[in-house]
Amino acid sequence: EANRDRVNEWDRTRFMNLQESTAHAVIPSNYRTDVQVYANASVTPEQGAALRSEIESAIQGGTLLSRYADIAARADQPWVQGSDPLQNRRMCEVSSELARTLVYGEPKDPAKGFAIAKAGCDAHCGGTCYWLGRIFEDGDKAAPGVDKLLGKKPQLLMLQAYDNAIVNGIVAAYEREAELGWQPPKRYKDKTYYDFKKLDSYSYWYDIDDYRRLAYMQYKRCLAEQPTNLTCARGVNALIKDTQANSYVWRDVLKDIEGDGRIAEFQALQTQLEAQASVSPAP
């Protein structure tokens, strides 16, 4: 009974995330609709910890691919989930590590890693969605065919991937979506495409009030979850500074930020974290 209660609490938290700190909080839900909870994969904290330990052991021992050969063989295909939540969670966790390793680690197989990330995210596995977002950010230099898939909707697809990650409890996605909410990847900055059907030009990336507000919310959530995250501390202050410098455009956003009363707090936090980083640089 106690285990069931804890699993139910985890489910409630994931559903709450669907409305909090994602696009659904500030943008009509019909804009990015393909955001869901990874179904039938809730396990107890003890089961989750044991699974992570099992996977970490395989990673450290260099046996990830061989130990989970059955998952690796089908992770880049449309997922079929069974009735065992622990097995479904294992599929998600292992596939997330496979996507990361094959694209950014060793042995490299970027095409397969990209395919795994996409198939897993189509099934709403938060970890694979996170790595799909990272691959989307890096484009063709991460894996072949990424920019072609993104087409004319890079912003939609990147933020949708990170929304799925956030909904499914991947804290690291707050940082990445916040960064993208107001700063496009360099290859999309100020770039437009021409739509011959409509005889008009359109931007690949839109910087609107809602996205900027969302980025501010996500930076705050990132720092609440990870108080020593220097990227988020730098990001929130850069966002505030940019909004102040362009207050004629972002007047209402600046009003919200100033009303929050945390500008000095964020500045002090960044100063503190910068000092710590200079003394003990990250390995």
Side-chain angles (χ1 to χ4, degrees):
E1 187 67 36
N3 283 346
R4 188 183 306 116
D5 287 344
R6 282 183 292 175
V7 168
N8 289 340
E9 180 62 30
W10 170 237
D11 275 338
R12 282 193 291 272
T13 299
R14 294 197 296 165
F15 279 111
M16 182 176 66
N17 285 342
L18 188 60
Q19 295 297 334
E20 185 180 348
S21 299
T22 69
H24 295 265
V26 295
I27 297 172
S29 60
N30 62 355
Y31 181 73
R32 297 211 292 269
T33 56
D34 192 25
V35 179
Q36 298 178 36
V37 168
Y38 181 52
N40 194 25
S42 292
V43 297
T44 66
E46 292 81 5
Q47 288 174 316
L51 179 57
R52 286 304 310 166
S53 178
E54 170 192 312
I55 295 171
E56 286 297 329
S57 177
I59 294 171
Q60 294 301 320
T63 61
L64 183 70
L65 286 171
S66 59
R67 180 167 182 172
Y68 300 104
D70 59 328
I71 291 179
R74 58 192 172 92
D76 58 348
Q77 305 299 317
W79 286 17
V80 177
Q81 289 168 262
S83 58
D84 182 352
L86 184 58
Q87 284 298 100
N88 291 336
R89 174 58 55 185
R90 180 176 282 106
M91 179 77 175
C92 180
E93 296 276 2
V94 170
S95 295
S96 300
E97 290 297 342
L98 289 172
R100 177 189 65 79
T101 299
L102 293 170
V103 175
Y104 295 105
E106 294 293 341
K108 279 195 181 298
D109 188 344
K112 185 173 180 64
F114 179 32
I116 289 173
K118 187 174 184 312
C121 195
D122 285 347
H124 309 291
C125 160
T128 55
C129 286
Y130 174 78
W131 287 108
L132 182 64
R134 293 294 297 266
I135 295 167
F136 279 165
E137 282 193 64
D138 292 336
D140 284 343
K141 71 178 184 179
V146 175
D147 288 332
K148 181 178 180 180
L149 177 64
L150 289 172
K152 297 174 182 177
K153 299 179 179 180
Q155 187 177 30
L156 170 69
L157 294 177
M158 288 185 205
L159 299 185
Q160 186 167 273
Y162 285 133
D163 269 357
N164 270 294
I166 287 172
V167 164
N168 287 282
I170 307 300
V171 173
Y174 289 118
E175 172 195 304
R176 298 312 319 144
E177 185 163 342
E179 294 284 289
L180 291 175
W182 67 289
Q183 299 185 102
K186 290 182 180 179
R187 68 188 189 280
Y188 291 115
K189 187 172 177 58
D190 300 324
K191 298 291 177 58
T192 61
Y193 65 88
Y194 191 76
D195 188 330
F196 288 98
K197 292 182 179 179
K198 298 182 179 180
L199 301 179
D200 205 350
S201 294
Y202 296 90
S203 174
Y204 283 103
W205 209 269
Y206 294 95
D207 190 3
I208 60 177
D209 286 6
D210 284 343
Y211 287 152
R212 193 163 283 238
R213 284 192 177 95
L214 180 61
Y216 180 65
M217 290 167 55
Q218 289 167 335
Y219 279 133
K220 290 195 297 181
R221 185 65 180 268
C222 171
L223 291 170
E225 299 280 353
Q226 300 174 320
T228 60
N229 189 313
L230 181 53
T231 299
C232 284
R234 287 171 174 165
V236 73
N237 285 306
L239 170 64
I240 291 169
K241 184 177 180 180
D242 184 77
T243 305
Q244 290 172 326
N246 296 281
S247 58
Y248 60 95
V249 178
W250 310 115
R251 180 177 61 253
D252 291 339
V253 180
L254 182 60
K255 184 178 178 181
D256 289 347
I257 292 172
E258 291 176 335
D260 201 24
R262 300 184 65 182
I263 295 178
E265 173 191 340
F266 291 136
Q267 291 173 337
L269 176 61
Q270 182 181 346
T271 299
Q272 175 191 341
L273 295 179
E274 296 280 10
Q276 292 174 353
S278 67
V279 174
S280 302

